[in-house]
Amino acid sequence: MSAEQHDRTPWTRERVLDAMRGRLTVSCQAYPGEPLRDPRTTAQMARAVVAGGAAAVRVQGLDDVAAVVAAVDVPVVGLWKDGDGGVFITPTLRHAVAVADAGAHVVALDGTRRPRPDGLTLAETVARLRETTDALVMADCGSLDDALAAQDAGVDLLGTTLSGYTGERPRTDGPDLALVDEMVAGCTLPVVVEGRVHTPAQAAEAMAHGAFAVCVGTAITHPTTLTSWFVDAVAPPV
Ligand SMILES: CC(=O)N[C@H](C=O)[C@@H](O)[C@H](O)[C@H](O)COP(=O)(O)O
């Protein structure tokens, strides 16, 4: 099927989960002020990773989500980052509804136990989001306690996305496999291993620890960081 001939089979919840199960999701994000920060570029990047076998893509920003949904025939995990401290990944119900309205098949949101800027609980956010969309909900968690609370709040997928970024757990060099073990043992929902998966071996290890899926961002789609790894290897900082 060419890029112009899209498969219009609806992405039911079951079909989204089937597509992601046991496979790689790739996060395609550029950060504010960066050269690749453009929805058209994100869509091209998404097509490139799908050509490489990505089963789903994760995309930040409403324009990027809409552009990528139009460009690829895989599920799109959408989020809206607002701010850069505290609760910033799809922080409020308004953000979550907007991400779903942009076409995301999965809405990723902050799944921590921290107070949300709009004063709603995560459970209230999920319940009200479900009144407007059939999109799945992925909770980006930073600890087992986050994951257990998010599961009780009614989300569909649990991510390790925020491990090492909320102060509850150390920022491990690679994925937080100890947290993966805790979540796989302690939760019934699917666990997406995301965050600092930097090599294929680490991705395989995450799957061996019981991941439902693995999501890789930086190591595939962030050339500035990748370049810095090589720069430091060639001429180590003194
Ligand atoms: C903590 C946070 O803001 N994580 C963000 C969530 O969308 C992204 O900046 C990450 O790139 C993404 O989670 C994938 O992780 P990694 O780039 O380490 O493979």
Side-chain angles (χ1 to χ4, degrees), residues 27 29 31 58 79 81 88-89 140 161-162 165 194-198 215-219:
S27 179
Q29 298 185 37
Y31 299 97
R58 178 170 162 120
L79 61 145
K81 285 184 181 172
F88 68 95
I89 295 181
D140 289 336
T161 320
L162 287 171
Y165 302 104
E194 173 170 346
R196 303 181 302 282
V197 181
H198 288 165
C215 179
V216 174
T218 303

Side-chain angles (χ1 to χ4, degrees), residues 20 23-29 31 56-60 77-79 81 88-89 106-109 138-143 157-165 171-177 179-180 183 190-198 202-203 206-207 211-218 221:
M20 293 178 67
R23 297 182 63 194
L24 178 70
T25 294
V26 176
S27 179
C28 304
Q29 298 185 37
Y31 299 97
V57 289
R58 178 170 162 120
V59 177
Q60 188 290 136
V77 180
L79 61 145
K81 285 184 181 172
F88 68 95
I89 295 181
V106 180
V107 176
L109 40 64
M138 172 172 168
D140 289 336
C141 300
S143 67
L157 294 157
L158 302 168
T160 59
T161 320
L162 287 171
S163 173
Y165 302 104
R171 195 173 300 185
T172 48
D173 277 345
D176 186 350
L177 293 174
L179 176 60
V180 177
M183 285 169 60
V191 175
V192 178
V193 176
E194 173 170 346
R196 303 181 302 282
V197 181
H198 288 165
Q202 288 172 340
M207 291 307 300
F212 170 78
V214 174
C215 179
V216 174
T218 303
T221 62

